[in-house]
Amino acid sequence: MTYAPDRLLEEVAYVAYHFHWPRGEILDLTHAERSGWVREISRINTRINEGG
């Protein structure tokens, strides 16, 4: 099974932008770990944007 390169790029960019982690460290994460961080960042952003 392969992972869509454009989706991988989006996830890496998203985590790197918000957490300032190096690309290599983000790429070393499993898909599940990376997706979990993407969800958590999104949750944090939603909470901040809603004033909570």
Side-chain angles (χ1 to χ4, degrees), residues 2-32:
T2 60
Y3 195 60
D6 56 333
R7 180 64 184 152
L8 178 60
L9 179 63
E10 288 175 5
E11 289 182 359
V12 171
Y14 193 71
V15 174
Y17 176 80
H18 288 282
F19 284 173
H20 309 285
W21 291 354
R23 179 176 50 101
E25 286 187 33
I26 299 167
L27 288 172
D28 284 343
L29 298 171
T30 66
H31 170 63

